[in-house]
Amino acid sequence: MDKTKTTKEDLWGLIFDILAKRLPSHALNTWFSPIVPVSFNNKKITLSVPSQFFLEWIESHYSEQLLHAINQVVEDGPAIFQLTVSKDKEKIEEDQRVRRVQEKPKKNRVNKNYLFKNFIEGSNNEFAKNASLAVADSPGESKFNPLIVYGGVGLGKTHLLHAIGNSVLEKKPYSNVVLVTSEQFTLDFVNSLRKNKTIEFSKTYRKADLLLIDDIQFFRGKEQTQEQFFHTFNELYQSGRQIVMTSDRFPSELKGLQDRLISRFQSGLSVDIQPPNFEIRVAILLEKSEQNGLNLNYDAIEFIARHIKNNIRDLEGTIIRILAKSSLMNKPIDFALIKDVVRERTGSGFSSELTIEDIVKKVSEITKVKEKEITGKSRKMEIAQARQLSMYLCRNIIGTSLNNIGFHFGGRDHSTVIHAVKSIDKKQEKDSRLRDQVKSIRQDLDFTV
Ligand code: ADP
Ligand code: MG
């Protein structure tokens, strides 16, 4: 056959037909269908196979048949063949992935309990949650690279970071998810320096498909670690791997971090988590008490939500503390116990012996509305307001149940009480006089949270 007139594809087609007559079809399909002819010169045909494994298998099992078929087709032989492992992009990635999985580092300590499905969504965190979901769905593919979730302590940043890791691992169990805190990253780096293993260190991190770094504010002032992180970041970023970080503040406010790092961070998306508002605190307490097998009534939940305001970790801690106190001290979970725990945790000195009467008396003193009127039925504006204020304080300070409050203030039902509490909450935002009244009553009653 004249090689100048025959393309390498034609040639391979002929060889393939000969093999097809000699080999069982499964062997042909498995080993020969994926072969692509690369070149044919100087009586040498070069064939590309998908992997090293293929190459070795064909050489050890089918060399003879292959050579024979080639020499039937190439007339002025003898001709030889050479196999090469194909280097197309997908293939390379597949190989790398397999290799990475085989040498999977032990660093992906993703906490299986932090999932999207148990992350309670509210207006304070929905932006951060949705961005995290988007990144978990198509890591490295969206514009949100890197994604930075920032906000105060105990607001769910670490939870979201792990949720992304879990979600990616669920979809692609073999992907190399590396999750570390910035402190661990630093420690790893310092150890690698000590042991002369910085190359291994970079390899481990640069093999990540998804790099999740918690609390990057702790990179502050660690110049050499930042240097390492900068290179790791660039390498992953350039090869389209996803990076997610958490921080206690907006990236540009991260003092002690190199400007070039910060400007890299700003090429992605930064989303914040805000402290939870009252409704979200209630939702979280309901969920967490259920998770912990604690059956709290709504009044108790609302009481806790009104006093524990900072973050979700505190809310969770309160639930655990209530459980612990009740079981270790063998006490029933009643309002007294809940109040005790809340008082401990807020550090406030309110008296659990305070009564509705004490509150009414105090409100009367300050508003100059008679006690009898406060607990009566009059709808006169100033009286109604003093009554609402008293209801609000009973609810907030002593945690009286809605029905009980209703009963004390002229036999009203619980929805009237809810309305009163809400309306005082709202009015305080605009009415500074009311705000001052509430403040001074709280102070007088020695309740200052
Ligand atoms: P951060 O990293 O922001 O300091 P964490 O993620 O550690 O906060 O959250 C503190 C605790 O509160 C964790 O146990 C977490 O599961 C829980 N938590 C935070 N936000 C939520 C949420 N939206 N829904 C459910 N649990 C939450
Ligand atoms: Mg955290």
Side-chain angles (χ1 to χ4, degrees):
M1 180 178 279
D2 181 351
K3 70 176 184 188
T4 55
K5 286 181 199 147
T6 318
T7 65
K8 54 186 191 289
E9 285 80 16
D10 291 339
L11 189 69
W12 174 242
L14 294 169
I15 298 167
F16 190 87
D17 287 345
I18 295 173
L19 288 168
K21 285 184 200 127
R22 300 207 181 137
L23 295 172
S25 64
H26 66 88
L28 193 77
N29 291 336
T30 310
W31 304 109
F32 293 92
S33 297
I35 288 178
V36 179
V38 178
S39 62
F40 177 55
N41 334 307
N42 300 330
K43 304 208 172 36
K44 182 167 99 181
I45 180 162
T46 304
L47 303 168
S48 136
V49 296
S51 69
Q52 185 64 26
F53 179 69
F54 251 80
L55 185 149
E56 288 166 14
W57 188 269
I58 294 171
E59 280 186 344
S60 59
H61 292 76
Y62 299 107
S63 263
E64 230 171 86
Q65 280 110 316
L66 184 55
L67 200 59
H68 190 252
I70 289 170
N71 279 297
Q72 279 197 295
V73 175
V74 181
E75 282 155 3
D76 50 349
I80 53 163
F81 70 89
Q82 182 185 25
L83 300 179
T84 77
V85 176
S86 89
K87 280 287 171 245
D88 63 301
K89 189 167 162 284
E90 255 172 54
K91 188 64 217 100
I92 293 169
E93 280 175 5
E94 171 67 15
D95 283 353
Q96 283 177 342
R97 195 182 61 73
V98 169
R99 226 171 299 136
R100 281 202 302 270
V101 170
Q102 284 160 353
E103 315 161 14
K104 200 166 184 164
K106 294 189 189 68
K107 293 200 165 44
N108 67 336
R109 291 283 162 257
V110 184
N111 184 333
K112 295 272 176 285
N113 298 319
Y114 290 157
L115 302 168
F116 283 120
K117 73 167 196 263
N118 58 23
F119 186 83
I120 298 158
E121 190 177 323
S123 51
N124 63 322
N125 61 26
E126 62 184 338
F127 187 22
K129 183 187 174 184
N130 289 337
S132 302
L133 276 171
V135 158
D137 271 348
S138 44
E141 284 165 29
S142 68
K143 292 200 187 85
F144 312 152
N145 199 13
L147 173 67
I148 300 185
V149 178
Y150 70 94
V153 289
L155 296 181
K157 303 182 298 293
T158 299
H159 189 130
L160 278 181
L161 196 71
H162 287 254
I164 295 173
N166 278 313
S167 160
V168 167
L169 282 170
E170 195 188 347
K171 277 175 253 168
K172 294 185 187 151
Y174 292 111
S175 48
N176 188 9
V177 174
V178 176
L179 188 153
V180 281
T181 62
S182 62
E183 289 110 318
Q184 275 166 308
F185 186 93
T186 308
L187 203 66
D188 273 3
F189 175 58
V190 173
N191 279 333
S192 78
L193 279 179
R194 267 194 337 169
K195 297 179 188 156
N196 272 331
K197 286 190 168 171
T198 46
I199 297 179
E200 280 86 342
F201 168 85
S202 354
K203 270 196 198 153
T204 309
Y205 282 96
R206 292 175 199 182
K207 273 185 314 206
D209 291 314
L210 170 64
L211 180 63
L212 306 166
I213 303 222
D214 207 2
D215 289 326
I216 53 168
Q217 70 272 14
F218 297 124
F219 278 141
R220 184 182 312 138
K222 294 167 184 153
E223 292 292 327
Q224 231 183 328
T225 308
Q226 286 182 35
E227 184 79 22
Q228 272 300 320
F229 182 58
F230 181 72
H231 295 305
T232 306
F233 182 97
N234 285 341
E235 187 153 330
L236 293 178
Y237 182 79
Q238 274 152 18
S239 55
R241 293 336 142 54
Q242 180 73 46
I243 302 149
V244 185
M245 295 171 274
T246 70
S247 158
D248 69 348
R249 68 201 73 182
F250 188 67
S252 66
E253 287 161 15
L254 281 165
K255 302 222 165 59
L257 246 65
Q258 296 171 359
D259 289 344
R260 57 178 190 169
L261 263 180
I262 291 173
S263 81
R264 282 286 189 287
F265 296 168
Q266 282 167 337
S267 64
L269 176 72
S270 301
V271 286
D272 67 329
I273 305 189
Q274 291 292 324
N277 62 22
F278 174 71
E279 283 78 10
I280 297 166
R281 296 200 296 276
V282 167
I284 286 180
L285 285 165
L286 285 168
E287 168 84 22
K288 299 280 175 186
S289 48
E290 193 188 305
Q291 274 173 19
N292 287 290
L294 179 61
N295 189 10
L296 291 179
N297 63 28
Y298 185 76
D299 285 337
I301 298 262
E302 205 184 299
F303 179 76
I304 301 169
R306 287 201 174 275
H307 294 295
I308 312 279
K309 296 180 184 167
N310 297 337
N311 65 47
I312 291 144
R313 187 175 293 137
D314 280 357
L315 292 172
E316 224 173 10
T318 305
I319 298 283
I320 305 289
R321 180 92 190 139
I322 290 170
L323 274 171
K325 199 152 185 166
S326 135
S327 69
L328 296 176
M329 297 171 71
N330 213 2
K331 281 186 174 172
I333 297 177
D334 54 12
F335 217 87
L337 181 109
I338 291 170
K339 256 188 282 188
D340 267 359
V341 170
V342 168
R343 191 172 34 205
E344 279 167 23
R345 295 188 72 83
T346 54
S348 76
F350 71 87
S351 160
S352 46
E353 274 78 56
L354 220 58
T355 62
I356 296 184
E357 286 74 24
D358 296 329
I359 287 184
V360 173
K361 197 162 157 225
K362 199 82 227 163
V363 171
S364 167
E365 256 174 58
I366 290 207
T367 59
K368 312 278 182 264
V369 176
K370 291 198 183 80
E371 286 176 50
K372 266 222 162 67
E373 287 175 331
I374 294 178
T375 54
K377 289 189 189 294
S378 164
R379 288 172 187 262
K380 250 177 91 180
M381 231 228 325
E382 61 190 77
I383 299 176
Q385 168 129 336
R387 187 179 303 125
Q388 285 193 331
L389 179 58
S390 309
M391 290 177 165
Y392 169 86
L393 292 167
C394 285
R395 189 74 184 141
N396 271 340
I397 296 183
I398 44 179
T400 320
S401 76
L402 296 170
N403 284 331
N404 214 350
I405 296 175
F407 175 78
H408 259 84
F409 292 88
R412 292 169 164 84
D413 70 9
H414 76 281
S415 63
T416 312
V417 183
I418 293 177
H419 173 74
V421 173
K422 276 199 182 139
S423 108
I424 295 291
D425 251 342
K426 245 205 147 55
K427 277 184 196 156
Q428 279 188 82
E429 286 169 16
K430 297 203 183 93
D431 184 343
S432 64
R433 189 165 150 258
L434 180 64
R435 208 160 50 230
D436 290 344
Q437 280 183 345
V438 170
K439 210 168 153 190
S440 65
I441 294 173
R442 278 179 184 280
Q443 266 163 9
D444 286 354
L445 295 174
D446 205 16
F447 187 90
T448 45
V449 282

